Amino acid sequence: MSSNKIELDHKDMVHDSAIDYYGKSLATASSDSTVQISSIGGASAPSQLLATLSGHYGPVWRVAWAHPKFGSILASCGYDGRVVVWKEGAAGQWSQAHVFDNHKSSLNSIAWAPYELGLCLACGSSDGSISVMTMRPDGGWDSTTIEQAHPVGVMAVSWAPATALGSIVGSGELVQKLVSGGFDCVVKVWAFVNGSWKLDSVLPSDMHTDCVRDVSWAPVLGLAKFTIASASEDGKVVIWTKGKEGDKWEGKVMHDFEAPAWRVSWSLTGNILSVAAGSGDITLWKEASDGQWEKVTKLLGSGQSNMSSNPVGVDNTFRRKFDKEEYLERARQREREEKEEARKGKEKGPPVQRQPLKHRDYEVDLESRLGKTQVVTPIAPLSQQAGYYCKVCECVVKDSANYLDHINGKKHQRALGMSMRVERASLEQVQKRFESLKKRKDPDLDERILKQQQEDEERKRQRKEKKKEKKKELAAQNEPEEDIDPDVAAMMGFGGFRSSKK
């Protein structure tokens, strides 16, 4: 069997590697917080570094390629609790298509679902939960969480084949199941039922006596049983089998390596199992006709491990061999730096002088985006996201009230170089202010004020005249009519016409 050595440019330990579907690109994860993608060359075309992806804030534990049906997509997870989905664009440029950071602690394992289920990624975390991320047709992502899957932490996840037992690929109802292993020494099977994940089976817990480092669900390819392999810190690799639905899972120890077993991986046909155990030993195993597992070959011997050239079974123990002298010197250097900082702290210079608070020389825009529709994507820059963007503090505030509180607050003013104290105005500044207001005064203001006063007086005078005319009319109506003959009035029984006023 020929081998090809690939030189990597990582500056720290390599924890995982994965080859893409076509076997042309190798992705590696390292403690230097980066993911590197290299080409896999041959004798005539040596390998070369294609891209270095920086999106994690700590060691990167795992990388996984998605099916090429969805394009060139790679996922990575790490100690920072983040899952980054990378996508290759034009000219070989890689970008972050999605970042998932809902977990509270380290993400130890990721696995893409079979392509029949769509672009779907399962993630296992040290916080004890499993998350399943699914991309929607519009490009967004939905996520569901299996809380407390392994309360003390999830170490590994693997998807079941999408085809049912005994069926041909592409026919029948799709199977949507997961297997997980954790620090609780237990292997569990989960099923997606009625829109949520439910616990399907808990495999017998007496098979492993230490942390389950890895699990791998074998391809079905028309076989009449499900098969799962699990690797544990106790050195045992267990093969779990199950027949038709309703049967129980049965476990059998394939081999005890008497050293921690780190990774297990099935071949595409599901009949050969690769195991990484001990200090760099990778072995291939095949089931014989009598049901016993036999070692086919040993790829690497002890002390000859080369993680960069072997994507299967790389070290994921998170344990390093430390040079005591080197780290002792680092500790001494840190102590010297701390003493130096403490000494500088006692000799602090004068405090930073900030400018007094000033009024804004611009209008705050709060209404220009009212009633407008905006498409917001998870990877859009902050300035294009929903809400009010502050370019000084580089943050987004969701509503106008909080935005006003922010730009009037201490943090924003300090970013502008101002304190929260208002400058006390002097007599000279007040006089200059009055002078500037006088200069801004409208020269026709006095004339307009005088004209307005005259108009008000004229309206008052007109109202008084109208009141006098009304009084005269009423008085004229109530006066007695003198042209009536007194004899006629006496004959008619009238004593006279007088006003009712007294």
Side-chain angles (χ1 to χ4, degrees), residues 33-317:
S33 305
T34 65
V35 174
Q36 290 188 1
I37 300 175
S38 305
S39 63
I40 300 177
S44 59
S47 61
Q48 60 179 348
L49 180 64
L50 301 178
T52 299
L53 311 180
S54 300
H56 289 277
Y57 305 116
V60 185
W61 300 141
R62 294 284 188 98
V63 286
W65 292 93
H67 193 276
K69 171 184 178 181
F70 307 102
S72 188
I73 294 178
L74 177 71
S76 61
C77 68
Y79 181 78
D80 55 3
R82 291 158 57 94
V83 174
V84 181
V85 178
W86 309 89
K87 186 172 184 179
E88 185 180 16
Q93 298 296 321
W94 289 82
S95 61
Q96 296 183 12
H98 182 67
V99 177
F100 182 74
D101 56 0
N102 287 8
H103 285 281
K104 302 176 183 177
S105 57
S106 174
L107 274 168
N108 303 321
S109 180
I110 51 176
W112 289 103
Y115 71 92
E116 296 92 340
L117 302 179
L119 195 60
C120 187
L121 183 69
C123 318
S125 172
S126 291
D127 60 14
S129 63
I130 299 174
S131 295
V132 180
M133 302 160 45
T134 307
M135 192 178 77
R136 301 191 302 268
D138 61 357
W141 290 80
D142 293 327
S143 65
T144 57
T145 304
I146 306 174
E147 299 289 350
Q148 297 298 309
H150 296 267
V152 290
V154 182
M155 277 302 300
V157 291
S158 179
W159 286 87
T163 54
L165 288 176
S167 63
I168 302 174
V169 176
S171 64
E173 185 179 354
L174 295 178
V175 176
Q176 197 165 356
K177 289 186 177 182
L178 280 171
V179 61
S180 63
F183 285 102
D184 53 5
C185 314
V186 179
V187 177
K188 297 181 180 180
V189 176
W190 309 87
F192 192 72
V193 181
N194 298 326
S196 62
W197 288 94
K198 305 292 184 183
L199 180 62
D200 184 78
S201 302
V202 178
L203 278 58
S205 59
D206 58 347
M207 301 299 293
H208 289 299
T209 58
D210 208 334
C211 165
V212 177
R213 286 290 182 180
D214 197 17
V215 290
S216 181
W217 202 312
V220 174
L221 297 181
L223 299 178
K225 65 178 180 179
F226 284 123
T227 305
I228 295 173
S230 61
S232 173
E233 184 91 14
D234 59 11
K236 297 177 182 178
V237 172
V238 178
I239 304 297
W240 308 88
T241 57
K242 176 185 176 181
K244 61 182 183 299
E245 287 295 333
D247 292 349
K248 293 184 179 181
W249 286 93
E250 296 180 358
K252 179 181 179 181
V253 177
M254 184 197 78
H255 186 72
D256 189 350
F257 291 85
E258 298 180 356
W262 310 127
R263 296 288 295 276
V264 285
S265 179
W266 292 98
S267 64
L268 292 178
T269 55
N271 62 339
I272 296 179
L273 179 67
S274 170
V275 180
S279 56
D281 289 341
I282 300 177
T283 52
L284 300 181
W285 298 76
K286 186 175 182 179
E287 187 179 12
S289 57
D290 58 355
Q292 299 298 320
W293 287 81
E294 300 175 349
K295 183 166 62 173
V296 178
T297 184
K298 183 177 181 180
L299 298 183
L300 289 175
S302 178
Q304 299 177 352
S305 62
N306 186 342
M307 296 179 187
S308 63
S309 62
N310 291 278
V312 181
V314 295
D315 186 10
N316 193 30
T317 65

Side-chain angles (χ1 to χ4, degrees), residues 354-366:
R354 295 183 175 274
Q355 298 179 359
L357 196 63
K358 297 180 180 179
H359 69 279
R360 285 187 290 270
D361 56 357
Y362 63 92
E363 294 184 0
V364 180
D365 180 18
L366 297 176

